[in-house]
Amino acid sequence: MAVVASSAAAGVAWVSRDFALQRLQPAALHGIAARSPAQPPQGLALDFSDYPTSAAVVAFCHQLAAAYPHLVQVVELGASYLGRPILALEVGSRLGSDPAQRPALQMDGQHHAREPIGQQAVLYTVWHLVSSYGSDPLATHLLDTRTLYAVPCVNPDGNDFFLESYYPQRKNLRPLDDDGDGPADEDWPAGVSTWDVYQVYEVRLSRTWLAAHRNNPFEQGWRNAARSRYLGYYDEVRGDFLVHADPDGDGKSLEDQPGGVDLNRNYPVGWEKCNPALRSNLYRGEAPFSEPETQALRTLIEGRPNIRLAVSYHSGDDRLAIPGVDEGPGADAGLLELVGIKASQLTEASGYRGTPHQHGTPVASGETRAWLYEQGILAWLVEAYLDEGPVKYRWVDREQGILRAYEHIGLRFNPPPTGILDVCRRWLDLNLYLLAAVPCPRPCPPLLDGSTLSLGIHNDGFVSVGVHCEVAVGGGPPVFARRLEGGPCEPGMCSGSGELGAASGNPGWMLRIQMDPPSIQALAEREDLTVTLRVDGASREHPGPPLVASSCWRLDPKSGSFVLADRDAAGAAGGAGQPPGELFDLGAAFGEGGWFADPAVWDREVYHMGRIPRPREVVP
């Protein structure tokens, strides 16, 4: 054991990282690796067997709050352009401390109308957590120590329009006169809203491709070897083509399609680089946050400074993307890379290959993750599903490589209803991993032995953060106040990174505080021992606001042990922020390697999509 020189001013002696790690080794959560995904709900507004209307999503959220009032609170963030409610679910145990004061993960889905699988993935994660609470050790621990803010559907108008009117819809439903003829949104084919109406293309494949893929001409990459000509929409039930509307009689159609604004180009970071053309499917809007839907998400983020990590669900590809920086890897690059490699491992499930991960991209102009990142939130974007091939095809001339391909944008971006649950379960472990990764520094129960107060401070999350700790007795000045950083060590010993968390390899410190007689007497007279942690933001590139957590303890004269003080006026037991407790090994819940995945296995070319050079060292 290597003891570091004491601080006379604070009256405290503290010990090196080596001793701290010996005393704060994680304890296994029994049965944590044996958990299984939750079974679908029964008798509720949705059951993950079909894509629900926005009204069904709202009903399901309120049903969860009614069934699990100790875990779920519905927060109305605002309304869509057409007045549909945009809801967030605050998910976390109401026992022990206020969820609004704990470190949190934020999730959202369906910025884009035709991507409802993201909405389902978010809701299924919430359902798994609340229905498993009390029986699954990981779900229970996460909801006792952290908070999840889930916004399942950012674009409820678009969701219903996708289901009921027009499956290619991407944007919101703000009316726009794309072609400048006066009427808005008039040139589009009605009735394109079922799984039986297809976009039909004449496809000509190159002879080279055809020779190499005679058994399946639509293997991955076929679009690079094809020329396509659009023929129109085909209704399989009626057996005929749909006539495109031309209400303005200008001889053109599809030049003024429904809506609107691309909500994931309406955020301020890089907004000026986004497409200003009204008719573009990527139209950015009149100004950043011009849309009520993006304003609703802003309301959530700005009103919840406890949010540390975030993930936004989309579809139309299979990848995990991170917030990029134009000048190359930033200060968070190594951490984001580690998470990406692990994501490939965690998502090789339900018959799907592990998702490719992008180490870096240029700044995601106008997108959620870029704006979140500049708020100090580590943010990811998930593209949850892609089916590259057409739904069906028939040959016109096999020798010439000419065929008709029947495509369906809805089924390209989303699995058929029978596949919803498999996709939701595929992404569940990554979502649990991100919630567990949220930095959550907290104290162990203190111990008084004579005049020595022992106090463990640890972070069972993956993301490492700096921590400043103060310990006070009664209303007096702190008996200990300092940032928990490495100090002088014996030869050959590492002094530590000055951060707590699994990513740094330093889960916590054990403090030894020499108490003076007045402080010991005050504790004997049942004065509070208050431990206050001031925790840095999660991002090093964009330091966010600190999060303050405090816990109050009283010495039980009979047992000689500290117990949490009575609930305060706000109803929180013993203080604010994440509740105190022992250090657990949450990484053990996530399969081989724990928190980390082996890059030799999970960072091969098939899993990696990086555009920006990676940091040299990404393994622990």
Side-chain angles (χ1 to χ4, degrees), residues 147-476:
T147 299
L148 171 65
Y149 294 103
V151 184
C153 183
V154 179
N155 188 359
D157 294 345
N159 175 78
D160 289 4
F161 201 67
F162 165 85
L163 293 175
E164 299 166 0
S165 299
Y166 189 58
Y167 66 68
Q169 184 69 13
R170 172 182 170 95
K171 301 182 285 185
N172 74 351
L173 288 191
R174 177 183 291 279
L176 294 175
D177 180 16
D178 297 1
D179 54 1
D181 65 351
D185 302 346
E186 81 276 14
D187 285 336
W188 58 280
V192 183
S193 60
T194 76
W195 303 116
D196 302 310
V197 175
Y198 307 105
Q199 290 172 296
V200 185
Y201 294 84
E202 181 184 87
V203 177
R204 293 175 178 263
L205 294 166
S206 72
R207 290 181 180 273
T208 303
W209 179 269
L210 195 61
H213 304 87
R214 295 195 67 85
N215 293 330
N216 180 12
F218 292 106
E219 289 187 12
Q220 186 174 3
W222 70 271
R223 294 181 189 276
N224 295 327
R227 289 180 297 152
S228 298
R229 181 168 66 93
Y230 175 61
L231 300 179
Y233 287 98
Y234 178 74
D235 186 330
E236 187 174 49
V237 174
R238 292 164 48 185
D240 59 11
F241 278 85
L242 300 178
V243 177
H244 286 179
D246 181 20
D248 53 7
D250 63 357
K252 301 177 183 179
S253 59
L254 298 179
E255 80 269 25
D256 195 356
Q257 298 186 52
V261 173
D262 182 343
L263 297 178
N264 208 38
R265 299 296 185 274
N266 193 234
Y267 294 90
V269 177
W271 175 87
E272 67 282 354
K273 301 177 184 178
C274 297
N275 199 317
L278 295 183
R279 66 180 304 169
S280 169
N281 231 4
L282 305 176
Y283 173 54
R284 66 189 184 185
E286 290 186 352
F289 292 121
S290 62
E291 304 311 294
E293 295 88 351
T294 54
Q295 292 169 20
L297 200 62
R298 180 180 62 183
T299 296
L300 173 67
I301 299 301
E302 293 185 348
R304 304 298 190 281
N306 56 322
I307 293 173
R308 296 339 223 178
L309 274 62
V311 58
S312 185
Y313 267 83
H314 294 254
S315 62
D317 202 347
D318 180 8
R319 64 188 170 100
L320 177 75
I322 66 171
V325 288
D326 281 334
E327 61 272 16
D332 298 307
L335 174 67
L336 295 169
E337 175 76 344
L338 289 172
V339 172
I341 297 173
K342 187 66 179 182
S344 294
Q345 176 187 343
L346 292 172
T347 56
E348 190 149 297
S350 301
Y352 291 92
R353 190 186 70 196
T355 192
H357 57 276
Q358 286 181 297
H359 169 67
T361 60
V363 170
S365 298
E367 293 190 22
T368 324
R369 59 189 156 123
W371 173 68
L372 290 170
Y373 191 42
E374 290 210 351
Q375 311 311 302
I377 297 170
L378 295 177
W380 289 265
L381 177 142
V382 166
E383 295 278 5
Y385 182 86
L386 170 66
D387 187 343
E388 281 199 297
V391 176
K392 57 184 71 178
Y393 66 92
R394 68 177 181 84
W395 287 103
V396 175
D397 187 332
R398 181 185 288 267
E399 293 304 317
Q400 296 297 318
I402 304 172
L403 42 75
R404 280 194 174 183
Y406 295 77
E407 297 204 48
H408 193 297
I409 289 179
L411 291 173
R412 186 180 181 199
F413 283 67
N414 307 275
T418 54
I420 291 174
L421 197 56
D422 280 345
V423 174
C424 290
R425 286 173 169 167
R426 181 198 180 194
W427 293 99
L428 174 64
D429 273 357
L430 175 62
N431 293 337
L432 297 178
Y433 179 92
L434 292 175
L435 183 55
V438 169
C440 191
R442 58 201 192 108
C444 297
L447 176 66
L448 184 63
D449 183 7
S451 62
T452 302
L453 181 75
S454 298
L455 178 65
I457 306 294
H458 66 82
N459 173 18
D460 63 16
F462 181 65
V463 175
S464 300
V465 288
V467 178
H468 184 277
C469 176
E470 291 189 3
V471 180
V473 177

